[in-house]
């Protein structure tokens, strides 16, 4: 935010850009968890953990849906409200972000690579300690852990 402000970007825009960055990271983790859920359901015996993860994934997708439709003609009358106006601006910025395919592609690619590197570090530590667990197992189990920890 400091660098954005130094470049003349307004405080509100700087805050929204950081929030959208964090939301995008959570969204990508939610996407990866959605992909890994069938594996986890097959390998986990703890039904409470599975239901908890499923609930987090559903809430994540619902929150993204709300974010993308929050700024609409019905809610425009709340733009002048300080707190609600911030969410409406965030929604507008999120929709603008999703319209640029190059931005979405680079965001998706970068975020997936970052998370896979995190998994790779944990896998490498396991290997260094003499473990023989597959990278795929770590990918399917560490990503949901990262999502829960991030929340």
């Amino acid at each position: 935010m400091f660098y954005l402000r130094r470049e003349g970007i307004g405080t509100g825009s700087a805050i929204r850009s950081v929030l959208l960055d964090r939301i995008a990271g959570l969204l990508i983790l939610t996407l990866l968890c959605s992909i890994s859920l069938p594996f986890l359901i097959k390998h986990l015996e703890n039904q409470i953990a599975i239901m908890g993860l499923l609930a987090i994934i559903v809430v994540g997708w619902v929150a993204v849906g709300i974010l993308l439709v929050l700024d609409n003609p019905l809610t425009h009358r709340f733009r002048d409200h300080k707190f609600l106006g911030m969410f409406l601006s965030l929604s507008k910025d999120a929709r603008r972000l999703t319209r640029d395919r190059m931005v979405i592609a680079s965001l998706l690619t970068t975020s997936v690579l970052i998370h896979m590197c995190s998994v790779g570090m944990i896998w490498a530590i396991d290997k260094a300690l003499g473990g023989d667990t597959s990278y795929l197992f770590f990918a399917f189990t560490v990503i949901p852990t990262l999502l829960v920890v991030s929340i």
Side-chain angles (χ1 to χ4, degrees), residues 87-107:
F87 284 109
L88 296 176
S89 295
L90 187 65
S91 175
K92 184 178 181 180
D93 289 345
R95 275 205 328 269
R96 190 177 322 134
L97 179 71
T98 60
R99 289 185 188 126
D100 190 336
R101 292 177 190 237
M102 289 301 294
V103 169
I104 292 298
S106 64
L107 180 68

Side-chain angles (χ1 to χ4, degrees), residues 64-76 84 86-92 95:
V64 168
I66 290 171
L67 176 66
L68 293 176
V69 300
L70 189 60
D71 182 42
N72 63 61
L74 296 174
T75 60
H76 283 183
L84 295 175
M86 180 187 70
F87 284 109
L88 296 176
S89 295
L90 187 65
S91 175
K92 184 178 181 180
R95 275 205 328 269

